[in-house]
Amino acid sequence: MTDVDRRTFLGLLGGAAGAGALAGCQRPVECLVPVADRPEELVAGEPQQVATALHAGPEVCGVRVERLVGRPVKIEGNPNHPTSNGATSAFVQAELWQLYDPERADRPRHDGSACQWQEVQAALDGQRAELDRTRGAGLAIAVDETCSPTLLRLLRQLVRRWPETTIHVDDPQTAAARAGLELLGVRGALPRWRLDNAEVIAAFDCDLLHLERGALRAARDFAARRRVSAPVDEMSRLYAIEPSLSITGAAADHRLPVRAAEVESLLRALIGELANRYWLEPLPEIESALRQFAPVALDAERRAWLVALGRDLSYHRGASLVAVGHRQPPRVHALGHLLNAALRNLDATVQLLPDPWSALPTRDLAALGDALRSRRVSSLLVLELDLVQRAPLVDLGPLVEQVPFSLYLGTRPDATAQRCHWQLPARHPLESWGDLRSDDGTATIGQPVVAARHPALSAIELLAQLDGDRGATGEALVRATWTRAAVDDTIAGGSSADLAHWLDEGVVANSSWSPLPSDLLLAGLATLPAAVAAATQAPQSGIEIDFHLDRTVYDGRYANNPLLQELPDPLTSQVWGNALLVGPALAAERDLQNGDVVRVSCNGRSVELPVLVAPGQAPATVAIALGRGQRSGGRHCQGIGVDAALLRTPEAPWFAAGAALERTGQRSALAVCQTFDAQLDRPTVRSADLDFFRDRPDFVRRNQRLQPDDAAPEASGARRPRWGMVVDLNLCIGCGACVVACQVENNVALVGPDQARRGRTMHWLRLHRYFEGGLERPRVLFQPLACQHCQQAPCERACPTAAAIAAPDGRSDQIYRRCIGARACLAACPFQARRFNFVDTVACDSDGAPVLVNPEVSQRDRGVSEKCSYCVQRINRGRRLARRNGRSLADGDVQTACQQVCPTRAISFGDVNAPSAVAARRAEPRSYALLPQLATRPATRFQARLFNPNPEIES
Amino acid sequence: MAAPEAIDGNRATERTWQALTSAPRPLWSAAVVAALALIALGCVAVGRRWIDGTAALGDNLPVGRGGQAVAASFWTGVSAGGLLLSSALVLSRRRWRSAISRTAQAIALAALIGVAWHGVVGLGRPDRLAELLPWPDASGLAPNLHSPAFWIPLVTIALALAALLVWLWGLVPDLEIRRERGGSGGRVRWTGWQRWQPAIAAASAMIAVAAVVTSSLPQLLSALPGWHDPLLPIHDLARGTASAVALTTIALVFGRRALQLEPLITPHHLDRLCRLLLALTGLVVYCRGVAFFHAWYAGTFDQAVAFDGQAFGDQRWAYWGALASIAIVPQSFWWRPARRQPAWVALASLLVAIGLWLDGWVTLIAPQQHALIGASWGPYRASAWDVALIGGGVGWFALLVALLLRAVPPIAIADLRHDVAESAARASFTDEEPTP
């Protein structure tokens, strides 16, 4: 080695190092085979739309599910479907979480331990043999009121085979309406409101824009008559008579807060007032019925109110509507029909449509409770219905437990599942074949948009298996239904070509029901039964307790859905829980503050829950939302809120008098997103009465030295596109669909109850709610507020790292990568539109289970500021598609997520420098920018809210 | 308290030397231990902050910048105020300055660690601080020079350099103490040093003012009522200087006691500082008063809401607590005995410092809670970790002050000797009474 000199050594060293490096560069020996034949129609990165339908919240909604690389990422309304018209509710938006829920039931269980499907089969076989022997005696099937033709067909088939079977339907939406018609001798029918024909609407304890069947369509039709683009335009008028503030009450021009029990007497008083006035001109058939009503002694103010309402209704007869809500007893529904008939509204604003359940002998859940109690049920089949939680009974649980054979089919391990011997995982509607008819009869054949995550059954498959059809698939069952000559009495089936077309469209052609003749109803009204005609109700005293469906988790079926748990209740802004809503007067009388825990006793039982002072709550009433406080069913619902169902009885499921409140001395931290309800002297929601607006069409611009447009001339002039948004506050009803849509579309993080309590919710789009006037009878103003995309944005100026930066198309961008989390932008933004990731939400993964995430939007790290981007990913997609088709962007090519879901079309978005809808709306006299004195020149504008009060009613 | 002894330059040198070399009184060790305990607590909180992220803080929406921002701006004010105080003493050539200026400079230096501590902890992603480096990234985006938040770290660095320079500059001749001790002293005539001293003081004063004004710019330039107020920088400056004076006073009382410097740091010095504190807190109260006057007299809605939010909102305890301690406690300083009783002076200064802290709290937090959109108003509560981090900041500050008092001569010897020599030469005292 001595003859190796330094140079040689270094040369050798270099060579060795190079050789080593080259050795590291060799190609991997594995053979990779790229996909040569990609599945047809699947273009990576291009979303596919699949039409189907969902029963979400109170109604069936036709939807199109957007799939990216085989994964559903967003649900949009199906424009072909008459109920949705392309819009959706918050419930529909949140259905995706129901699909992705990592806690979904994944395997069949027998008495709590996992079992094999074969064991389920064997059990079903055993039951079949047993039921064949007893002709179905002891078999009870519990379902909810979903109208699925195939399910109904299979149920009919079962009843034919086992005639002793009882079918129990949980029908909170239709029970009272159906019974109301039955009181009048009309069977097999359900009423439906047509708001597109209604100029004056009186909602009697009826949240017809949000929580009633057909609310989506109602909201849409309502909004169509409220759109005012010029001072000459007309507006419909809405009256609401209700105990606690609802979405409909908030939208109303006049609202009368009354006890729920008083609604009936008020309706009687109204009929009594009208029956003796010349202006009513009723149909001759019902004159004698009307004559049974006499004016009632009322206090002067209420009487004046009712007379004014009656006059307004009568002047618009044929175009007015009296709507009675599902919380009211059948009698009140019958009274509503009488008034509608007297106002000649039948067939115009009220239609009778066939009741799909009439072909089956059904009973309600109370009857099931009785049957369970008398041990007449030997086998219980529960199809996707949490009856233990939902039934207005003290405790159905132990009764269910003692049934020898109980089988539960559902997606989550809720209270009922825990009580049943057999728990079978159900397919989510987006994983299964099915069919649904909406409240107007429009049918949609549902198709799976994604393969089932776990082996599971749908309700129709289970029924078919019980019936002995072992190999039946959902698809075969649905096809069997729809290729028959007559699917049911109202609709014919089609060929398989028809089926393919219907699947593609998302709607079965000509499937909406034709209205039943109203003569049936008139005949019933002519001979008005005494139960309806005579006032049976004694005036009640004491505190009335009202139960209502939750505005976000509905009847509890969405309780484990964090998207909806974290959706602030539009009226109370509470998230993650419910509270006892107490009116300001009662709260002052009892010295109750927000968060004081009280013990509410009613019907001999009591629950403890925190108080939330709710403006607009009728005097001497309190209200609780149902569906919360579940004891099982997932980590997002257990222990969140309080279960009010314990206070209900079958006799008084929705309201009861004689509630007692008792302070416990404890306090509970409410998760309330909006703690301040007034606009003070800084009107962010401009509003006026219609007459005022007609006198001064430019009222939003008066007394403002600085107008949004003249703050500074555009540097970029007429650059195109320049994106802008206009939100018509006159159309916004505050349903919250936009908030959830934005969250799903943009991967906006969920923070959970603890962080929400600390004021760290992340919604890019927040629904602000203001009360005006006295807190006893406030006017409610909603404002969806997101980033205003200022052309001179304070946040952009404040950001030290240029993470907040102006985009050339008029938007204000946020570059997450550059953000150091200094939060200068949060303090700078005068609209407080910026959100900050205090918590690491991305890391909260779900053990390899697929996560609901939109791959087109980056997820944000902890410590990063974020905000609305005007759905930049949708803008880019629109631009891409336009370029591919060789054209420039047209108006309507880009829809933001909030715009697309809005049931009332309150939001418009587009290029403000083009002749677009948004440009036209910006030019309308009601348009204004927020905080124009700051000269930030927002790209988002609002349009003032208008009220159309009756001049005869003193406000 | 030791009776004031007549002191000349040599004796002063001797005393200072003793303070540096002999063992301190137990008070000093106790202070260091307490400071270390606070730091340990703060470090635990930093760990929590590291694990939980900003969720560990009380910050929320609408209060995006909560307790940590308050603390950072407080320490900025203290640092700048300390620098201003020492510069003002040098520039005005007050004859009582030498016992105070070194401590004021130590305060200015020590407070900077609080600025860094709270500034970094309050950031959402401190690991991405490199984004602030002034050159473009791969996509050509560079930091935003229009943003006040970009300039705040820069002026803080400038403040740190200035504080360091002033401290070192004053220290250079004092490091000769070892050589001069025992001799007659004054061999070296430090003429150049003396000539530059006022220039450095003036420049550092300007930097101090710039630092405070810059750190109040994000608030000044925002649209929030209560922040967007032309008086805000004056308010911040007055608050910062007053808190620096209060903390200097506490440090002096502590130093004379712990390091046996009673002959050098006399009640007369405390008296002067108390007068200064009285004037400066008066300025802070004046700023508060103007805000009230605007709210009441101008009738502008925004100002009225801003005042309402501060005085009667969630943070009213801080508002009235601050007012009580800033407006009332210093009034005792109108009485000469109160200004000269070290225990009371220290206690009063502590109360005033806490009051000033609360004043900063209410100024920063209440307006965020009562912003322009009514629906986004919301509550704010600092978390326990916020409090621990603030305690940690105090611990660092106290530790550094204690160490600096021991590490270098706590009295500006050269200044003192120079003044003594000068006054001896002139043999006429223009000040009220003879002082060291």
Side-chain angles (χ1 to χ4, degrees):
Chain A
M1 288 299 281
T2 47
D3 52 345
V4 179
D5 62 358
R6 186 180 55 87
R7 272 170 179 271
T8 321
F9 174 73
L10 284 179
L12 285 173
L13 189 68
L22 275 178
C25 286
Q26 65 182 277
R27 286 162 177 256
V29 287
E30 295 92 351
C31 196
L32 302 177
V33 182
V35 177
D37 294 319
R38 59 175 167 75
E40 205 176 351
E41 293 176 355
L42 183 73
V43 182
E46 278 308 322
Q48 289 175 301
Q49 308 272 345
V50 183
T52 182
L54 288 169
H55 184 123
E59 64 201 320
V60 170
C61 181
V63 297
R64 280 184 183 166
V65 180
E66 191 178 293
R67 289 202 305 187
L68 261 173
V69 209
R71 288 259 292 268
V73 293
K74 187 81 177 29
I75 301 177
E76 300 295 357
N78 183 352
N80 299 330
H81 198 283
T83 54
S84 62
N85 270 306
T88 55
S89 61
F91 305 120
V92 175
Q93 288 299 315
E95 273 290 340
L96 269 184
W97 174 272
Q98 305 285 103
L99 172 70
Y100 281 98
D101 185 356
E103 289 178 278
R104 262 177 66 182
D106 55 353
R107 66 197 66 177
R109 287 174 181 278
H110 183 225
D111 288 335
S113 49
C115 65
Q116 298 295 317
W117 281 102
Q118 288 86 336
E119 297 172 48
V120 179
Q121 283 290 353
L124 286 177
D125 292 344
Q127 278 301 308
R128 193 180 314 113
E130 173 74 15
L131 289 167
D132 278 334
R133 196 171 56 74
T134 61
R135 300 186 67 240
L139 172 63
I141 301 175
V143 288
D144 75 1
E145 57 190 326
T146 308
C147 172
S148 156
T150 303
L151 184 80
L152 292 175
R153 173 174 76 82
L154 293 170
L155 283 174
R156 278 200 302 273
Q157 210 168 299
L158 277 187
V159 171
R160 225 173 291 133
R161 177 166 179 177
W162 300 316
E164 305 282 314
T165 308
T166 55
I167 296 169
H168 299 270
V169 185
D170 178 37
D171 50 357
Q173 288 289 347
T174 50
R178 184 181 293 119
L181 282 175
E182 282 171 4
L183 265 182
L184 300 172
V186 184
R187 289 183 193 284
L190 281 173
R192 176 165 181 266
W193 303 307
R194 293 292 302 265
L195 268 72
D196 48 348
N197 298 329
E199 281 169 20
V200 175
I201 305 154
F204 284 85
D205 195 8
C206 178
D207 194 1
L208 78 174
L209 299 180
H210 190 228
L211 286 180
E212 294 283 343
R213 222 163 50 104
L216 262 182
R217 175 65 187 264
R220 166 81 160 206
D221 291 341
F222 174 71
R225 286 191 164 267
R226 303 283 285 189
R227 173 94 184 100
V228 174
S229 49
V232 292
D233 291 346
E234 292 289 340
M235 249 173 93
S236 69
R237 184 174 291 148
L238 173 62
Y239 297 82
I241 299 98
E242 59 185 12
S244 56
L245 199 54
S246 69
I247 292 288
T248 306
D253 300 299
H254 289 287
R255 178 174 176 275
L256 189 64
V258 300
R259 297 161 74 98
E262 278 177 335
V263 167
E264 178 178 352
S265 60
L266 280 174
L267 202 47
R268 282 182 193 285
L270 180 58
I271 298 172
E273 289 292 341
L274 279 180
N276 298 293
R277 306 277 178 163
Y278 65 90
W279 61 62
L280 183 63
E281 296 181 19
L283 294 171
E285 293 96 314
I286 55 167
E287 270 186 63
S288 63
L290 282 175
R291 241 175 273 123
Q292 301 178 38
F293 292 83
V296 186
L298 280 176
D299 67 74
E301 192 215 343
R302 279 200 177 173
R303 180 143 189 272
W305 204 94
L306 279 185
V307 170
L309 165 63
R311 198 198 298 261
D312 208 4
L313 287 169
S314 329
Y315 282 178
H316 292 90
R317 60 179 164 272
S320 60
L321 170 65
V322 174
V324 178
H326 65 258
R327 297 171 69 248
Q328 290 294 322
R331 253 188 345 264
V332 186
H333 284 258
L335 289 173
H337 291 308
L338 177 63
L339 194 48
N340 274 323
L343 293 165
R344 297 170 189 258
N345 290 336
L346 298 188
D347 299 329
T349 58
V350 184
Q351 293 175 334
L352 292 187
L353 297 183
D355 175 8
W357 285 95
S358 61
L360 275 167
T362 59
R363 300 174 194 189
D364 59 6
L365 287 191
L368 177 61
D370 293 340
L372 287 171
R373 212 167 284 123
S374 56
R375 307 211 174 212
R376 275 180 283 143
V377 179
S378 56
S379 24
L380 176 65
L381 207 62
V382 187
L383 302 180
E384 305 187 71
L385 168 69
D386 187 1
L387 54 90
V388 171
Q389 167 84 19
R390 241 176 269 171
L393 284 167
V394 189
D395 210 355
L396 214 47
L399 299 177
V400 171
E401 265 177 0
Q402 50 154 5
V403 176
F405 177 87
S406 54
L407 187 149
Y408 177 83
L409 178 78
T411 50
R412 64 193 191 96
D414 53 31
T416 311
Q418 307 287 342
R419 310 284 189 165
C420 289
H421 292 298
W422 295 90
Q423 303 168 26
L424 306 190
R427 284 173 186 256
H428 186 272
L430 294 179
E431 295 172 337
S432 56
W433 285 86
D435 46 8
L436 288 171
R437 296 191 83 169
S438 61
D439 65 312
D440 72 337
T442 305
T444 299
I445 300 179
Q447 47 187 334
V449 296
V450 64
R453 189 150 24 112
H454 314 288
L457 286 179
S458 60
I460 51 175
E461 287 166 340
L462 178 65
L463 285 183
Q465 295 207 358
L466 183 65
D467 202 18
D469 190 358
R470 269 191 164 199
T473 63
E475 182 177 9
L477 292 168
V478 171
R479 281 189 186 279
T481 306
W482 287 96
T483 46
R484 285 145 62 110
V487 175
D488 59 28
D489 302 343
T490 59
I491 187 168
S495 63
S496 47
D498 288 336
L499 233 66
H501 181 62
W502 295 340
L503 281 170
D504 186 40
E505 291 278 307
V507 175
V508 175
N510 304 320
S511 54
S512 60
W513 284 312
S514 29
L516 303 172
S518 57
D519 307 352
L520 284 170
L521 184 53
L522 278 178
L525 288 169
T527 56
L528 199 64
V532 179
T536 51
Q537 213 177 23
Q540 292 172 324
S541 59
I543 293 177
E544 177 186 280
I545 184 162
D546 283 279
F547 308 100
H548 59 85
L549 294 167
D550 197 287
R551 279 182 285 267
T552 62
V553 302
Y554 195 56
D555 56 4
R557 71 182 67 174
Y558 298 112
N560 200 39
N561 189 324
L563 280 170
L564 290 173
Q565 284 276 15
E566 204 160 304
L567 170 65
D569 180 294
L571 292 162
T572 66
S573 87
Q574 193 184 7
V575 294
W576 295 98
N578 57 354
L580 185 74
L581 305 185
V582 180
L586 185 61
E589 185 193 315
R590 300 291 182 94
D591 189 25
L592 293 172
Q593 309 276 329
N594 279 357
D596 283 346
V597 177
V598 291
R599 185 176 302 114
V600 194
S601 319
C602 181
N603 298 323
R605 290 178 295 276
S606 66
V607 294
E608 286 181 15
L609 76 172
V611 161
L612 187 56
V613 179
Q617 183 74 29
T621 63
V622 294
I624 311 182
L626 299 169
R628 308 268 184 171
Q630 306 199 356
R631 273 150 294 170
S632 52
R635 67 194 152 110
H636 296 303
C637 64
Q638 275 159 240
I640 301 288
V642 173
D643 186 6
L646 293 175
L647 298 179
R648 302 165 82 199
T649 57
E651 295 75 40
W654 297 105
F655 50 86
L661 306 187
E662 188 189 344
R663 294 173 75 102
T664 60
Q666 291 166 322
R667 305 244 333 137
S668 163
L670 295 172
V672 174
C673 291
Q674 190 182 336
T675 52
F676 194 74
D677 303 322
Q679 307 193 65
L680 299 178
D681 208 8
R682 236 182 248 134
T684 48
V685 182
R686 313 296 302 268
S687 65
D689 288 349
L690 184 60
D691 289 341
F692 184 91
F693 168 65
R694 284 179 175 153
D695 285 349
R696 305 176 194 76
D698 60 341
F699 77 99
V700 294
R701 285 162 185 261
R702 290 211 177 167
N703 304 323
Q704 279 186 9
R705 274 166 300 174
L706 205 55
Q707 299 301 335
D709 297 309
D710 57 24
E714 296 292 332
S716 50
R719 176 178 284 174
R720 287 193 58 191
R722 192 156 74 82
W723 299 109
M725 181 180 276
V726 177
V727 184
D728 191 341
L729 301 177
N730 197 35
L731 302 187
C732 176
I733 55 169
C735 67
C738 50
V739 179
V740 185
C742 172
Q743 197 152 23
V744 176
E745 168 77 21
N746 291 301
N747 299 333
V748 175
L750 293 157
V751 298
D754 286 345
Q755 297 295 328
R757 224 165 263 135
R758 289 171 209 211
R760 290 171 177 169
T761 49
M762 297 293 298
H763 304 109
W764 282 3
L765 179 63
R766 284 168 300 157
L767 188 66
H768 285 171
R769 174 258 304 123
Y770 298 98
F771 293 124
E772 269 192 351
L775 289 183
E776 292 295 332
R777 289 165 80 161
R779 270 187 173 181
V780 186
L781 301 169
F782 285 115
Q783 183 172 44
L785 191 77
C787 172
Q788 300 290 295
H789 292 272
C790 306
Q791 306 304 293
Q792 286 177 349
C795 58
E796 290 166 9
R797 193 159 271 267
C799 176
T801 57
I805 197 165
D809 55 3
R811 295 175 308 102
S812 177
D813 260 337
Q814 173 75 7
I815 305 167
Y816 308 125
R817 180 175 52 79
R818 288 194 64 84
C819 180
I820 58 170
R823 308 202 278 297
C825 51
L826 267 77
C829 176
F831 311 102
Q832 306 225 313
R834 286 192 163 263
R835 314 276 96 186
F836 187 75
N837 285 279
F838 289 100
V839 199
D840 195 354
T841 47
V842 181
C844 301
D845 216 324
S846 54
D847 305 331
V851 196
L852 173 57
V853 60
N854 181 356
E856 296 207 318
V857 180
S858 48
Q859 289 180 280
R860 277 78 63 184
D861 279 350
R862 182 174 84 185
V864 171
S865 169
E866 61 182 61
K867 62 167 192 69
C868 156
S869 68
Y870 271 173
C871 285
V872 63
Q873 68 282 1
R874 290 183 171 221
I875 292 176
N876 288 338
R877 187 198 294 166
R879 192 180 286 147
R880 217 163 52 223
L881 286 175
R883 195 185 302 137
R884 187 182 304 158
N885 296 335
R887 59 179 178 82
S888 53
L889 271 173
D891 191 27
D893 274 1
V894 180
Q895 279 191 303
T896 61
C898 52
Q899 176 194 17
Q900 192 166 6
V901 296
C902 181
T904 60
R905 293 286 179 267
I907 302 175
S908 49
F909 176 81
D911 181 359
V912 296
N913 281 347
S916 58
V918 75
R921 280 203 185 185
R922 265 166 88 105
E924 286 175 8
R926 283 187 302 126
S927 299
Y928 68 96
L930 278 191
L931 304 176
Q933 67 270 29
L934 303 181
T936 63
R937 297 194 300 135
T940 299
R941 299 291 157 84
F942 293 93
Q943 293 191 308
R945 167 92 156 91
L946 295 180
F947 289 92
N948 184 15
N950 186 340
E952 291 178 30
I953 297 180
E954 298 274 324
S955 59
Chain B
M1 191 173 67
E5 46 188 309
I7 221 159
D8 65 5
N10 288 336
R11 293 196 57 184
T13 311
E14 205 52 42
R15 273 275 173 194
T16 313
W17 177 250
Q18 275 174 16
L20 283 182
T21 49
S22 59
R25 286 188 179 153
L27 177 65
W28 188 87
S29 316
V32 169
V33 169
L36 284 174
L38 280 175
I39 291 170
L41 179 68
C43 288
V44 174
V46 166
R48 202 67 237 177
R49 156 71 185 80
W50 188 263
I51 295 163
D52 286 357
T54 20
L57 309 179
D59 294 14
N60 65 358
L61 303 161
V63 183
R65 299 175 54 71
Q68 299 310 306
V70 176
S73 89
F74 177 80
W75 292 122
T76 307
V78 170
S79 178
L83 204 52
L84 264 183
L85 175 62
S86 94
S87 304
L89 291 175
V90 167
L91 287 175
S92 63
R93 307 204 61 78
R94 304 315 295 178
R95 300 201 42 247
W96 39 274
R97 71 175 186 275
S98 39
I100 297 172
S101 59
R102 178 66 40 79
T103 308
Q105 290 157 14
I107 296 271
L109 272 179
L112 283 164
I113 198 165
V115 181
W117 170 264
H118 294 291
V120 173
V121 157
L123 277 185
R125 298 207 293 186
D127 49 319
R128 297 294 183 102
L129 262 176
E131 300 288 353
L132 282 175
L133 295 177
W135 50 76
D137 69 0
S139 50
L141 284 167
N144 175 14
L145 303 192
H146 296 293
S147 159
F150 169 73
W151 291 101
I152 288 176
L154 291 189
V155 293
T156 310
I157 292 169
L159 184 66
L161 292 177
L164 202 63
L165 179 64
V166 168
W167 182 71
L168 284 174
W169 193 264
L171 207 57
V172 169
D174 286 3
L175 295 180
E176 288 289 303
I177 187 173
R178 184 191 295 266
R179 210 173 67 190
E180 296 188 358
R181 200 168 65 88
S184 55
R187 295 281 184 281
V188 185
R189 279 297 297 163
W190 301 100
T191 337
W193 176 84
Q194 244 174 25
R195 197 185 304 137
W196 278 100
Q197 204 183 19
I200 288 172
S204 67
M206 281 191 275
I207 289 175
V209 171
V212 173
V213 172
T214 307
S215 72
S216 64
L217 271 186
Q219 298 158 52
L220 194 60
L221 298 186
S222 87
L224 279 189
W227 277 13
H228 186 75
D229 182 350
L231 209 59
L232 190 83
I234 308 292
H235 191 162
D236 281 358
L237 204 57
R239 187 193 308 122
T241 320
S243 22
V245 171
L247 292 179
T248 307
T249 313
I250 297 170
L252 280 176
V253 174
F254 165 76
R256 76 195 285 276
R257 188 99 188 103
L259 305 177
Q260 308 179 35
L261 287 171
E262 282 93 346
L264 293 179
I265 304 170
T266 64
H268 175 69
H269 293 106
L270 302 182
D271 180 288
R272 295 297 136 141
L273 283 175
C274 289
R275 291 179 189 203
L276 201 53
L277 197 55
L278 184 57
L280 286 168
T281 50
L283 190 51
V284 178
V285 174
Y286 167 78
C287 291
R288 279 262 163 253
V290 169
F292 163 69
F293 181 74
H294 281 170
W296 164 70
Y297 183 73
T300 323
F301 178 72
D302 284 355
Q303 276 163 338
V305 170
F307 175 75
D308 246 36
Q310 297 190 349
F312 305 111
D314 275 2
Q315 315 299 334
R316 56 181 179 274
W317 59 275
Y319 183 89
W320 296 108
L323 216 54
S325 53
I326 302 170
I328 296 171
V329 174
Q331 302 314 318
S332 63
F333 294 154
W334 292 104
W335 287 278
R336 188 182 151 94
R339 297 198 297 264
R340 290 170 174 267
Q341 168 54 246
W344 168 247
V345 168
L347 178 66
S349 299
L350 183 66
L351 287 175
V352 167
I354 292 173
L356 291 164
W357 205 98
L358 293 179
D359 184 67
W361 172 276
V362 89
T363 312
L364 206 71
I365 288 182
Q368 295 183 72
Q369 290 186 270
H370 304 90
L372 292 153
I373 303 287
S376 61
W377 288 19
Y380 170 80
R381 263 184 72 186
S383 72
W385 298 117
D386 263 324
V387 179
L389 284 166
I390 289 163
V394 173
W396 279 114
F397 172 78
L399 180 72
L400 232 71
V401 170
L403 290 182
L404 284 174
L405 286 179
R406 285 271 289 147
V408 298
I411 307 290
I413 308 278
D415 256 6
L416 184 134
R417 294 172 63 131
H418 178 80
D419 280 358
V420 169
E422 207 172 53
S423 52
R426 272 195 282 141
S428 67
F429 293 99
T430 45
D431 249 322
E432 294 87 340
E433 48 191 296
T435 55

